[in-house]
């Protein structure tokens, strides 16, 4: 038996999170430790560990996740300025091994994005 990932446990409502959007393929939550005034995570229900582990059969899901990024950007009024980050692998800063896309935006702040990495 494989252990459920942190994000699967959030989807199963075992761990609380602020859910901003959900559909049959993914959820979007607020990051618990935001690195910008807006910091959301787009997470597929399917627990693909890393982007590099996605296979050909996952192409439609990956496209859907990108569409959801645009959709929540419009919903939360950040469509004109946001960054999208995927950390792939521990050496790249990945800490939760369940694919997720970070959406970062400086809405409501005068700061501009620096070159700082997530
Ligand atoms: P990464 O380092 O790319 O794997 O990103 C994992 C992200 O998950 C980090 O930005 C964490 O702050 C975030 N995170 C960890 N636990 C939670 C949680 N319980 N709810 C929401 N976000 C979380």
């Amino acid at each position: 038996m494989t252990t459920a990932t942190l994000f699967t446990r959030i989807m199963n409502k075992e761990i609380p999170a602020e859910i901003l959007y959900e559909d049959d393929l993914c959820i979007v939550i607020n990051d618990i430790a935001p690195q910008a005034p807006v910091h959301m995570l787009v997470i597929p229900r399917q627990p693909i560990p890393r982007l590099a582990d996605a296979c050909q059969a996952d192409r439609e899901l990956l496209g859907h996740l990108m569409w959801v990024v645009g959709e929540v950007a419009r919903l939360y009024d950040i469509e004109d300025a946001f960054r999208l980050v995927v950390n792939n692998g521990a050496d790249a800063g990945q800490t939760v091994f369940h694919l997720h896309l970070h959406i970062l935006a400086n809405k409501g702040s005068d700061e501009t994005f620096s070159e700082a990495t997530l």
Side-chain angles (χ1 to χ4, degrees), residues 6-7 10 29-33 41 87 93-96 100 102:
L6 170 69
F7 292 151
I10 286 175
I29 63 172
N30 270 330
D31 196 291
I32 204 168
L41 302 173
N87 295 324
Q94 186 174 2
T95 58
V96 179
H100 52 284
H102 296 260

Side-chain angles (χ1 to χ4, degrees), residues 39-53:
H39 187 170
M40 306 186 267
L41 302 173
V42 180
I43 309 164
R45 293 190 186 278
Q46 184 185 329
I48 300 166
R50 307 174 306 168
L51 181 61
D53 298 314

Side-chain angles (χ1 to χ4, degrees), residues 19-35:
I19 297 177
L20 305 172
Y21 169 95
E22 63 183 317
D23 62 28
D24 54 339
L25 295 179
C26 69
I27 67 166
V28 181
I29 63 172
N30 270 330
D31 196 291
I32 204 168
Q35 304 296 307

Side-chain angles (χ1 to χ4, degrees), residues 45-66:
R45 293 190 186 278
Q46 184 185 329
I48 300 166
R50 307 174 306 168
L51 181 61
D53 298 314
C55 62
Q56 223 175 4
D58 298 323
R59 287 182 301 173
E60 199 168 322
L61 172 61
L62 297 179
H64 180 76
L65 298 178
M66 293 299 280

